[in-house]
């Protein structure tokens, strides 16, 4: 079955997913393995990777995330539950079209609608059979059987999409592959691997960036004694704890329970401290305003640092690859929240995200994001003028110079600073929005190619889900800034004596 891709400087590691019965009959994986060796490709398969005593499902759950997977499709493949489980896991991992390299070895006709439907029907029946067998039985007595029932349920529910994805891949006939020593299959893997060095190095760069983020968190806690006191009290740790250790505690919580950290610990700690201080203005206003302002500023920055941990490190590598292989400046994201876009694009650009309310205070958006509706007849020019105001806030939009604007955006995106700007245009998942029109988008990309266009989608199975609970995270971000906004009047300079 499928084996894990292991980093190796000398070999390209490729997984193979296949039916054992087909391999016994035609030995295609053995044949592939010989041709892989001459191309510096290490083919990872069950007979040279699985460990004695290892459970098959646990093994596959660990190993279906490889960057290159050869799938040997056959009638028996689509009838075998382990093969379909592998295909499901590969598909759920995302970036299906770039990662999967298929072969069809028998007369299974994926273009035949009736055949695809028959496969779906098969798995629906298989799930029904085991469901009926387990009806009324105690879960504690049939743990493994219920696990298998859940697996068959997942396969049956997704079988239609899996078959359609498989059918949508262009495959070279097996005889042509054999005649060319599988060159049509293996050469593209070599080509893709050459590109991988850039995003592999980005993984190290991303790790270095997150070390900078930790340093910035320490800086903010050092700036505001009140913020540090609030967090120490909420976490019930010794008040003498050093700042570095306190930041490590926060990072550890990010990795294990980020939602609880943001929803409860951070929100409650800062809200209580601000509430407490708001009653002291009358007697200590000259001192308290300055401390209040610093507490709000540092809490804002600390929160912005923490949300970056919502993005998985491995996903950033995949994201870097996808962006660098895309010739257009139009990107799709598999959710429908502008605050999440700010987090991901900031992590990609290696900057601290900065948030603001939209005009109606109904959602949090990125500080540099352009999300306003266009109103003028010349839609593209209207958008460019809005971007101009973001980039050159003291200059009139009538002076719009597209070359200057593009150069400025490009320069600011490339700054080696976690305070760099993050300009982009968000296209909501709304069929009435002007930028849904392909012609308008192409014109905007032609006139200002340096400006990313990000197309929101509430569901997009082709992309890896970056933040599993993105809607909940967006709500936590909104609540946090709504809380800060409630106290902002207290920090106004007008209150100083």
């Amino acid at each position: 079955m499928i084996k894990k891709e292991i980093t190796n400087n000398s070999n390209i590691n490729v997984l193979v997913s296949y039916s054992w019965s087909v391999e016994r009959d035609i030995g295609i994986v053995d044949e592939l393995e010989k041709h892989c060796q001459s191309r510096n490709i290490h083919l990872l398969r069950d007979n040279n990777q699985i460990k004695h005593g290892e459970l098959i499902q646990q093994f596959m759950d660990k190993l279906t995330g490889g960057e290159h997977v050869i799938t040997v499709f056959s009638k028996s493949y689509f009838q075998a539950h382990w093969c379909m489980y592998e295909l499901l896991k590969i598909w759920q991992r995302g970036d299906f079209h770039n990662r999967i390299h298929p072969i069809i070895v028998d007369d299974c006709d994926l273009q035949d609608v009736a055949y695809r439907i028959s496969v779906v029907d098969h798995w629906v029946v298989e799930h029904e059979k085991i469901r009926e067998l387990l009806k009324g039985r105690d879960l504690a007595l049939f743990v493994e059987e219920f696990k298998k029932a859940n697996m068959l349920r997942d396969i049956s529910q997704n079988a239609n999409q899996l078959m359609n994805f498989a059918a949508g891949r262009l495959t070279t006939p097996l005889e042509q592959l054999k005649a060319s020593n599988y060159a049509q299959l293996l050469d593209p893997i070599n080509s893709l691997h050459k590109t991988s060095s850039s995003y592999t190095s980005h993984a190290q760069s991303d790790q270095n960036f997150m070390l900078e983020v930790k340093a910035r968190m320490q800086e903010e806690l050092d700036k505001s004694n009140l913020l540090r006191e609030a967090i120490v009290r909420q976490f019930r740790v010794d008040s003498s704890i050093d700042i570095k250790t306190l930041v490590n505690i926060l990072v550890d919580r990010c990795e294990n329970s980020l939602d609880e950290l943001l929803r409860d610990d951070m929100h409650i700690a800062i809200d209580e401290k601000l509430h407490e201080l708001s009653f002291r203005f009358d007697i200590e206003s000259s001192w308290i305003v300055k401390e209040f302002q610093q507490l709000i500023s540092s809490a804002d920055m600390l929160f912005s640092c923490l949300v970056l941990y919502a993005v998985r490190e491995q996903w950033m590598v995949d994201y870097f690859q996808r962006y660098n292989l895309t010739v257009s400046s139009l990107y799709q994201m598999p959710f429908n929240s502008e605050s999440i876009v700010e987090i991901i694009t900031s992590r990609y650009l290696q900057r601290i995200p900065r948030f603001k309310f939209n005009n109606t205070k109904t959602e949090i958006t990125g500080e540099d994001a352009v999300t306003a509706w266009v109103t003028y007849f010349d839609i593209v020019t209207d958008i460019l003028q809005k971007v101009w105001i973001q980039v050159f806030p003291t200059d009139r939009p009538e002076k719009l110079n597209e070359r200057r604007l593009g150069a400025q955006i490009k320069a600011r995106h490339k700054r080696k600073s976690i305070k760099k700007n993050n300009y982009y245009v968000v296209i909501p998942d709304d069929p009435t929005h002007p930028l849904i029109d392909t012609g308008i988008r192409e014109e905007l990309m032609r006139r200002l190619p340096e400006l990313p266009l990000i197309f929101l989608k509430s569901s997009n199975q082709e992309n890896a889900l970056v933040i599993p609970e993105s809607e909940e995270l967006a709500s936590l971000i909104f609540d946090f800034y709504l809380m800060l906004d409630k106290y902002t009047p207290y920090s106004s300079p007008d209150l100083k004596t």
Side-chain angles (χ1 to χ4, degrees):
M1 296 291 179
I2 287 188
K3 303 299 157 281
K4 183 166 184 170
E5 187 168 9
I6 304 169
T7 303
N8 186 309
N9 293 329
S10 60
N11 285 325
I12 305 169
N13 295 286
V14 178
L15 322 177
V16 59
S17 175
Y18 63 99
S19 163
W20 288 339
S21 63
V22 166
E23 179 61 14
R24 283 195 300 268
D25 293 339
I26 64 176
I28 187 171
V29 179
D30 289 340
E31 187 177 354
L32 265 173
E33 197 163 21
K34 294 175 184 177
H35 294 298
C36 284
Q37 292 170 0
S38 64
R39 287 177 169 79
N40 213 31
I41 293 174
H42 183 201
L43 196 66
L44 305 179
R45 52 188 296 195
D46 44 29
N47 65 1
N48 62 24
Q49 293 292 310
I50 195 166
K51 296 176 182 178
H52 176 72
E54 189 167 10
L55 294 177
I56 295 176
Q57 184 169 353
Q58 291 177 345
F59 182 70
M60 289 191 298
D61 284 342
K62 291 188 297 180
L63 304 180
T64 50
E67 292 306 320
H68 300 294
V69 183
I70 295 175
T71 51
V72 183
F73 290 147
S74 61
K75 285 185 174 178
S76 60
Y77 185 99
F78 293 112
Q79 297 289 316
H81 71 268
W82 286 123
C83 292
M84 289 294 284
Y85 180 76
E86 288 176 353
L87 188 61
L88 174 63
K89 289 297 180 180
I90 295 167
W91 176 70
Q92 289 175 336
R93 160 74 163 67
D95 201 17
F96 194 88
H97 288 296
N98 289 328
R99 296 171 50 241
I100 307 307
H101 310 277
I103 307 173
I104 296 178
V105 297
D106 61 14
D107 60 347
C108 68
D109 187 358
L110 295 177
Q111 305 307 315
D112 183 355
V113 175
Y115 173 68
R116 297 202 304 269
I117 291 176
S118 71
V119 172
V120 175
D121 289 343
H122 168 79
W123 290 110
V124 170
V125 170
E126 289 298 301
H127 177 235
E128 275 298 314
K129 285 180 182 177
I130 194 167
R131 197 170 70 88
E132 285 298 316
L133 283 173
L134 293 173
K135 186 177 292 185
R137 301 188 186 277
D138 187 349
L139 171 61
L141 298 177
F142 299 95
V143 175
E144 294 305 317
E145 287 76 9
F146 273 97
K147 284 182 180 179
K148 183 173 181 180
N150 290 337
M151 178 198 298
L152 294 176
R153 177 202 62 205
D154 293 342
I155 293 172
S156 66
Q157 289 176 348
N158 293 283
N160 180 54
Q161 290 174 297
L162 292 176
M163 294 300 294
N164 280 292
F165 267 114
R169 296 305 312 275
L170 180 65
T171 56
T172 303
L174 182 59
E175 292 306 314
Q176 290 184 29
L177 287 172
K178 287 176 174 286
S180 66
N181 295 330
Y182 296 90
Q184 300 96 323
L185 182 79
L186 301 177
D187 287 350
I189 294 174
N190 271 296
S191 177
L192 286 168
H193 184 71
K194 291 176 183 177
T195 312
S196 68
S197 59
S198 62
Y199 62 86
T200 300
S201 64
H202 184 79
Q204 182 61 51
S205 177
D206 181 66
Q207 291 175 9
N208 293 336
F209 164 64
M210 293 308 289
L211 291 176
E212 287 188 66
V213 171
K214 287 181 67 174
R216 184 56 188 265
M217 292 164 63
Q218 293 178 35
E219 182 183 329
E220 295 303 326
L221 288 169
D222 188 50
K223 284 181 182 178
S224 176
N225 291 329
L226 296 177
L227 176 61
R228 190 166 67 254
E229 288 172 6
I231 294 175
V232 164
R233 181 172 63 185
Q234 182 64 27
F235 278 88
R236 296 181 175 83
V237 295
D238 194 310
S239 59
S240 63
I241 189 172
D242 64 279
I243 294 176
K244 184 176 181 180
T245 303
L246 186 57
V247 167
N248 287 334
I249 291 174
L250 291 175
V251 171
D252 183 64
R253 287 295 300 274
C254 286
E255 294 172 351
N256 294 293
S257 53
L258 178 65
D259 57 339
E260 293 179 9
L261 173 67
L262 300 181
R263 182 186 61 243
D264 299 325
D265 296 321
M266 287 293 295
H267 191 116
I268 292 171
I270 295 165
D271 191 17
E272 287 182 350
K273 179 61 73 172
L274 288 171
H275 183 72
E276 172 188 317
L277 291 174
S278 67
F279 286 98
R280 299 171 60 184
F281 270 82
D282 291 340
I283 57 174
E284 299 178 88
S285 59
S286 60
W287 168 84
I288 212 69
V289 169
K290 181 179 178 182
E291 294 297 315
F292 211 93
Q293 289 174 326
Q294 186 60 63
L295 173 56
I296 288 179
S297 174
S298 292
D300 181 359
M301 183 57 67
L302 182 63
F303 188 88
S304 296
C305 290
L306 292 173
V307 295
L308 284 167
Y309 286 91
V311 183
R312 300 169 184 159
E313 288 184 14
Q314 180 57 46
W315 191 87
M316 281 311 303
V317 178
D318 301 336
Y319 185 71
F320 181 78
Q321 177 193 20
R322 182 157 54 244
Y323 263 39
N324 278 270
L325 293 180
T326 303
V327 296
S328 155
S329 62
L330 178 67
Y331 311 118
Q332 289 189 343
M333 292 199 177
F335 34 74
N336 202 8
S337 170
E338 295 177 25
S339 58
I340 305 302
V341 172
E342 173 67 8
I343 296 173
I344 295 167
T345 54
S346 293
R347 180 78 179 259
Y348 174 70
L349 284 177
Q350 299 186 349
R351 69 183 289 276
I352 304 295
R354 299 312 305 267
F355 301 102
K356 66 178 181 180
F357 281 105
N358 63 9
N359 293 335
T360 59
K361 287 194 175 183
T362 58
E363 188 177 8
I364 296 292
T365 66
E367 189 174 74
D368 296 321
V370 177
T371 57
W373 278 76
V374 292
T375 55
Y376 300 134
F377 179 77
D378 187 346
I379 294 172
V380 173
T381 298
D382 186 36
I383 293 173
L384 292 176
Q385 287 179 339
K386 286 180 170 62
V387 177
W388 178 273
I389 293 170
Q390 290 281 85
V391 178
F392 302 109
T394 61
D395 212 344
R396 291 178 301 170
E398 292 81 4
K399 294 183 177 181
L400 176 63
N401 180 318
E402 292 169 19
R403 292 183 64 182
R404 181 187 173 201
L405 181 60
Q408 196 68 38
I409 291 173
K410 188 175 182 180
R412 292 183 184 179
H413 277 177
K414 287 186 174 182
R415 282 178 181 163
K416 293 183 178 179
S417 167
I418 58 177
K419 296 181 180 180
K420 70 181 77 170
N421 297 90
N422 183 22
Y423 301 109
Y424 53 88
V425 170
V426 175
I427 307 171
D429 189 16
D430 182 342
T432 65
H433 194 280
L435 285 175
I436 296 296
D437 186 292
T438 304
I440 294 176
R441 290 203 305 267
E442 290 177 350
E443 175 68 8
L444 181 56
M445 288 188 284
R446 184 189 66 79
R447 291 173 63 179
L448 193 60
E450 298 82 4
L451 184 71
L453 306 185
I454 296 176
F455 206 141
L456 296 184
K457 279 191 173 294
S458 56
S459 61
N460 186 341
Q461 298 296 333
E462 183 65 13
N463 285 314
L465 291 178
V466 194
I467 303 172
E469 302 297 335
S470 58
E471 291 184 4
E472 180 178 354
L473 179 58
S475 298
L476 298 180
I477 294 170
F478 179 82
D479 282 347
F480 182 81
Y481 284 96
L482 195 64
M483 178 265 291
L484 288 188
D485 187 68
K486 177 177 66 174
Y487 292 105
T488 299
Y490 290 102
S491 62
S492 171
D494 295 337
L495 292 177
K496 292 183 180 180
T497 58

